[in-house]
Amino acid sequence: MQRQQIIIEGIVQGVGFRPFIYQLAGRFGLAGSVCNDSRGVTIDVEGDAVVLSRFVAAINSEKPPLAAIQSIDIQNLPLCGAVGFRILQSALDESRRAQVSPDTFVCDACLHELFDPDDRRYRYPFINCTNCGPRYTIVTGIPYDRPLTTMADFPLCADCLAEYADPASRRFHAQPNACPVCGPRLQLLDSAGQPISVDEPLAAAVCLLKEGQVLAVKGLGGYHLAVDAGNHAAVLLLRRRKQRDEKPFALMANNIKKVQKFAHVGFDEARLLQGVERPIVLLQKTSDHRLAKSIAPANRYFGVMLPYTPLHHLLLQDAFAALVMTSANLADEPIAFEDDEAFLRLAHVADAFLTHNRRIHTRTDDSIARVMAGRPLLLRRSRGFVPRGVALPRISRPVLAVGAELKNTICLTRGDRAFLSQHVGDLKNLQVYASFKETIEHLQSILEVRPEQVAHDLHPDYYSTRFALEESGLPAVAVQHHHAHLASCLAEHGSEAPAIGVIFDGIGYGTDGHIWGGEFLVGDLQSFERCGHFRYQAMPGADLATREPWRMALSYLQTAYGEIPVDAPAFKGIPAAELRLVGQAAARGINAPLTSSCGRLFDAVAALLGVRQKVSYEGQAALELEMCADPHAKQLLPYELVCEEQQIIFDPTLLVQSVFEQQMRGVAPALLAGQFHASLAAMIVDVCDMLRSRTALQRVALSGGVFQNALLTEMTLARLENAGFEVLTHALVPPNDGGLALGQATVAVYNPV
Ligand code: ZN
Ligand code: ZN
Ligand code: FE
């Protein structure tokens, strides 16, 4: 006989760990107790030594699906003759430290009950248990307990209470536990928000969708707008009402089999789709799919997710090949999540609302991921991932990082963890800015942390910067945009050592007051040095140039030829007088700031190849250039690398000239687009080689929004690894500005004020 104290650390609270241990101890006939504490879960157990070791092995191999074990620490204790096994109540201050977990897809056990006619929750859209269900989106405060969630509106019935109190039940302390007797209910409303009297709101909603109507569906973190993805007219109707001209819509299909009817699903994609976070995954369309063309025009990919709430499963059961499920918002507004607000804002978009009376406390968009070079890459880290922490290499005083301006997220550190918020959005929108401030407050309260320092972007006019300097009341650290990208990549790899940073994105404020975006840095979590960049180019019209890629094409061609080839296809339909004016502005630097942006070079090439003259959403030209590129193009375009004042300057003029001339000679745009990608990858390796001989650094970090581009990333990775470099890419946070706050926070941790 032996008695052991087993301390388990990791994500072991709020995930059904104690009932799991209780049942396991019962199965092995062991006596003792289990409780939560500030470190994780502590088990005090006695029994036969051999059985004990099998018990520990089973903890590892059978742990609940949402649990993640970091360490198991075992110590022997003197025997005390325990009888039976008990779950001990945790002390209040201990449960307060328990971390709120992310929202999680409905588990297999609950799904089984959902479709079991004999179960008391048969077809109940709000079924959940300790292994699954809403979490982050319904928490109003901590400790994580029913009264501090939006489930406080629903007192438990006797049956649910019995499950809640039974250590052997899958619903022991499942805070959102509910059933048709005591829990939330579905309701169908018309476009004016008035109840439609029907016996079966769900069946009626399915009928509306079948008829081609637009349905607003209340989900976990907000409303979706749904239409039948096989119905071309319905998709066009939604596009028109949503004022969203070309941005792809996300799809939801019932299972992998159904997805395979319209998209290619590899092994890694399947794992991402079916992961507990259930993100939207980018999948290549099949050539013979039958879904509406306007779902994702000019795109080789569909964004697809599997159902993650019981309601989704009921909606999709057998009725549709797939549903369009796009965030319910107009243009740049945030996703609608409060009922009254949704009814108001969506009155002219939705024909009906499938809603319910469980409040959403925190608006949270769907996450977006893709597989790149065989690894998952997050393009948007939100629902399902938040508020899971990222480990930092160092413990520090708490820091708040306020992110950038577009794709904003914020980050809070506590101890050696960094917590990145859900996707907030574009801060120029007033509603988004309000949500930015709420998110800062809410994350502080559920993490119980008061920041002592604030980190912000170097850009003086970002709303986030102004908040940090004028409203936060905290000592501030300004972090250069591309240094933050580099630090974000290093931090997620837990790396304190310096690396060569290849940081390519749209725009970020530089230390010289110019707009950076094609940067070669050498640096670590504390500081950086700029060692190379794209040659500065005038951006005629400033912000307008990001919306009208032809302006960048004009700027480059004027540099190349000293005049504007007005008959180039890139300028089709634009009056010669306007072209001349823009050319003069570029030459004289009137409203034409200088930029080293890689994103703007993508814009110029996309315009030259006739891919995109104007864009309707951020990054569209670069995305469509990637989509049209021939991935097998090998030949390189000419380009120039020169050294000026210790800086390696990449001059794209020759490259742009070559694209233009070949295109005029009739060379296929797909081939030229492919060669453009290959040339950038080759240029990156050239520069990294030069920096390796200068610094002896072998490690390269790739970050910035441009590295959402799978073709460029895969080409660059292959070439760098061939040349003997160790390459760090993102996996836990996005390479775009959605991951920036993590880098800002880390740089502040290493530069305490
Ligand atoms: Zn469940
Ligand atoms: Zn109940
Ligand atoms: Fe950026």
Side-chain angles (χ1 to χ4, degrees):
M1 290 290 283
Q2 231 175 33
R3 178 175 166 218
Q4 292 180 336
Q5 184 188 55
I6 305 170
I7 298 175
I8 305 175
E9 292 186 304
I11 300 178
V12 289
Q13 299 187 3
V15 292
F17 213 86
R18 288 173 302 163
F20 157 69
I21 293 295
Y22 176 88
Q23 286 162 30
L24 203 62
R27 206 171 91 204
F28 284 94
L30 297 171
S33 65
V34 58
C35 67
N36 279 345
D37 59 31
S38 60
R39 288 180 62 185
V41 164
T42 299
I43 306 165
D44 183 334
V45 65
E46 65 183 79
D48 182 81
V50 179
V51 179
L52 277 177
S53 70
R54 281 185 12 229
F55 173 69
V56 174
I59 293 176
N60 257 315
S61 61
E62 296 176 30
K63 63 177 188 315
L66 300 187
I69 295 177
Q70 243 164 38
S71 65
I72 300 187
D73 179 42
I74 303 175
Q75 279 182 22
N76 287 321
L77 298 176
L79 285 169
C80 71
V83 182
F85 199 90
R86 288 182 306 146
I87 294 179
L88 302 181
Q89 202 60 45
S90 23
L92 184 69
D93 70 318
E94 286 164 357
S95 69
R96 287 180 84 81
R97 288 209 57 97
Q99 202 188 301
V100 176
S101 59
D103 303 284
T104 305
F105 79 110
V106 54
C107 74
D108 284 342
C110 285
L111 260 188
H112 185 82
E113 292 172 350
L114 183 66
F115 292 111
D116 174 3
D118 295 329
D119 194 274
R120 71 188 189 91
R121 291 187 181 84
Y122 177 56
R123 296 184 66 80
Y124 180 59
F126 305 95
I127 188 169
N128 68 82
C129 72
T130 42
N131 298 330
C132 75
R135 298 283 189 280
Y136 181 68
T137 51
I138 60 164
V139 168
T140 57
I142 57 152
Y144 173 55
D145 228 341
R146 193 169 175 106
L148 288 178
T149 69
T150 59
M151 287 302 289
D153 306 350
F154 306 94
L156 288 162
C157 70
D159 287 341
C160 287
L161 191 60
E163 293 165 338
Y164 185 87
D166 175 7
S169 164
R170 210 172 81 245
R171 298 195 166 90
F172 177 63
H173 285 194
Q175 306 304 346
N177 192 23
C179 77
V181 176
C182 66
R185 270 153 218 252
L186 279 185
Q187 202 178 21
L188 191 67
L189 307 173
D190 64 17
S191 61
Q194 294 307 308
I196 302 173
S197 102
V198 283
D199 292 339
E200 288 276 342
L202 192 88
V206 170
C207 277
L208 291 177
L209 286 168
K210 290 239 150 214
E211 288 165 15
Q213 303 206 32
V214 178
L215 183 71
V217 183
K218 188 172 178 181
L220 264 182
Y223 277 83
H224 281 121
L225 289 166
V227 292
D228 180 353
N231 184 329
H232 300 233
V235 177
L236 281 176
L237 178 71
L238 174 60
R239 216 166 251 298
R240 206 171 57 237
R241 288 199 193 154
K242 219 187 151 193
Q243 303 162 23
R244 179 162 168 162
D245 290 339
E246 287 148 330
K247 207 167 174 178
F249 287 143
L251 297 171
M252 186 182 275
N254 201 22
N255 51 47
I256 296 268
K257 259 208 163 95
K258 289 216 168 173
V259 177
Q260 282 166 335
K261 296 231 160 70
F262 57 83
H264 298 285
V265 186
F267 177 79
D268 297 309
E269 279 93 358
R271 211 166 44 184
L272 253 183
L273 276 171
Q274 292 172 303
V276 293
E277 300 91 356
R278 292 286 157 105
I280 295 169
V281 180
L282 301 192
L283 302 172
Q284 281 212 32
K285 299 172 178 175
T286 56
S287 52
D288 58 348
H289 75 81
R290 308 279 289 276
L291 303 183
K293 294 238 171 356
S294 51
I295 291 169
N299 205 312
R300 277 190 207 151
Y301 293 78
F302 281 131
V304 187
M305 58 188 151
L306 294 181
Y308 53 86
T309 70
L311 178 58
H312 294 153
H313 279 279
L314 294 167
L315 261 180
L316 278 152
Q317 204 181 356
D318 336 272
F320 306 96
L323 284 176
V324 165
M325 286 289 250
T326 181
S327 314
N329 56 358
L330 298 178
D332 292 327
E333 288 179 359
I335 182 172
F337 75 113
E338 285 163 323
D339 298 326
D340 292 340
E341 173 215 12
F343 302 153
L344 209 66
R345 279 168 57 192
L346 303 175
H348 302 290
V349 184
D351 295 304
F353 292 83
L354 183 60
T355 183
H356 58 73
N357 53 349
R358 185 178 74 202
R359 286 175 292 128
I360 297 170
H361 185 73
T362 301
R363 155 199 290 141
T364 311
D365 290 79
D366 293 317
S367 295
I368 308 175
R370 77 188 294 184
V371 173
M372 200 178 274
R375 295 171 233 178
L377 176 81
L378 284 173
L379 305 182
R380 183 200 280 162
R381 185 183 183 275
S382 204
R383 193 243 329 132
F385 293 90
V386 177
R388 210 186 285 159
V390 175
L392 294 174
R394 180 188 281 189
I395 295 179
S396 82
R397 292 184 305 155
V399 171
L400 165 68
V402 293
E405 179 111 311
L406 293 170
K407 297 191 164 72
N408 179 277
T409 63
I410 62 123
C411 182
L412 269 174
T413 73
R414 185 179 75 184
D416 64 349
R417 299 263 142 180
F419 299 90
L420 211 55
S421 76
Q422 73 277 13
H423 170 79
V424 176
D426 177 358
L427 296 186
K428 282 195 284 292
N429 180 291
L430 266 179
Q431 293 178 52
V432 175
Y433 185 68
S435 150
F436 162 80
K437 293 215 245 184
E438 282 162 23
T439 302
I440 292 172
E441 275 308 311
H442 186 59
L443 212 55
Q444 285 181 17
S445 92
I446 64 165
L447 292 170
E448 281 203 303
V449 61
R450 282 283 142 197
E452 295 173 22
Q453 189 174 334
V454 65
H456 61 85
D457 196 271
L458 207 54
H459 200 305
D461 297 329
Y462 280 178
Y463 285 95
S464 53
T465 303
R466 289 195 205 153
F467 172 85
L469 295 177
E470 291 160 23
E471 287 187 55
S472 76
L474 296 169
V477 186
V479 183
Q480 199 281 323
H481 191 90
H482 303 92
H483 183 212
H485 275 305
L486 169 62
S488 159
C489 188
L490 293 176
E492 76 158 71
H493 289 276
S495 167
E496 287 185 299
I500 299 169
V502 179
I503 317 296
F504 289 2
D505 66 359
I507 45 175
Y509 199 82
T511 53
D512 59 359
H514 292 313
I515 300 166
W516 294 9
E519 307 304 313
F520 294 94
L521 312 179
V522 168
D524 56 18
L525 299 174
Q526 188 171 20
S527 62
F528 78 101
E529 194 192 334
R530 190 191 202 196
C531 296
H533 60 89
F534 286 31
R535 178 171 307 287
Y536 283 125
Q537 188 69 36
M539 206 165 102
D543 277 352
L544 201 54
T546 61
R547 269 169 283 148
E548 301 185 350
W550 66 265
R551 289 170 178 267
M552 285 313 294
L554 179 144
S555 177
Y556 276 109
L557 290 182
Q558 185 168 257
T559 304
Y561 299 105
E563 57 183 6
I564 306 160
V566 288
D567 52 346
F571 310 131
K572 204 173 146 209
I574 297 159
E578 188 180 355
L579 291 173
R580 265 197 307 280
L581 267 177
V582 172
Q584 281 165 11
R588 294 186 195 151
I590 301 160
N591 192 26
L594 291 179
T595 185
S596 56
S597 166
C598 178
R600 293 299 81 76
L601 177 62
F602 267 88
D603 285 355
V605 173
L608 285 177
L609 293 181
V611 171
R612 247 317 119 194
Q613 200 176 41
K614 295 185 181 175
V615 299
S616 65
Y617 61 90
E618 193 230 341
Q620 185 180 13
L623 177 83
E624 292 180 7
L625 190 65
E626 177 193 353
M627 291 305 136
C628 94
D630 175 356
H632 306 295
K634 288 274 174 315
Q635 190 151 4
L636 302 183
L637 301 164
Y639 58 85
E640 221 177 344
L641 286 173
V642 291
C643 268
E644 287 174 11
E645 297 163 16
Q646 297 292 314
Q647 295 280 318
I648 303 165
I649 308 292
F650 164 55
D651 189 336
T653 313
L654 274 181
L655 186 151
V656 172
Q657 214 172 331
S658 170
V659 167
F660 170 68
E661 286 169 11
Q662 293 195 63
Q663 190 270 336
M664 291 301 268
R665 283 206 308 271
V667 179
L671 188 66
L672 291 171
Q675 291 177 357
F676 169 68
H677 281 78
S679 307
L680 278 187
M683 181 276 292
I684 290 172
V685 180
D686 289 348
V687 176
C688 288
D689 254 331
M690 293 157 88
L691 292 177
R692 175 164 56 183
S693 51
R694 196 188 283 180
T695 63
L697 291 172
Q698 294 278 356
R699 280 187 334 143
V700 177
L702 303 180
S703 189
V706 167
F707 290 104
Q708 297 171 97
N709 181 320
L711 183 60
L712 179 68
T713 307
E714 286 171 358
M715 283 175 162
T716 306
L717 252 174
R719 282 173 184 265
L720 281 172
E721 287 178 348
N722 253 337
F725 288 99
E726 181 200 343
V727 187
L728 304 181
T729 55
H730 284 279
L732 301 178
V733 307
N736 59 41
D737 286 2
L740 200 79
L742 173 64
Q744 292 176 337
T746 316
V747 173
V749 163
Y750 283 76
N751 289 279
V753 284

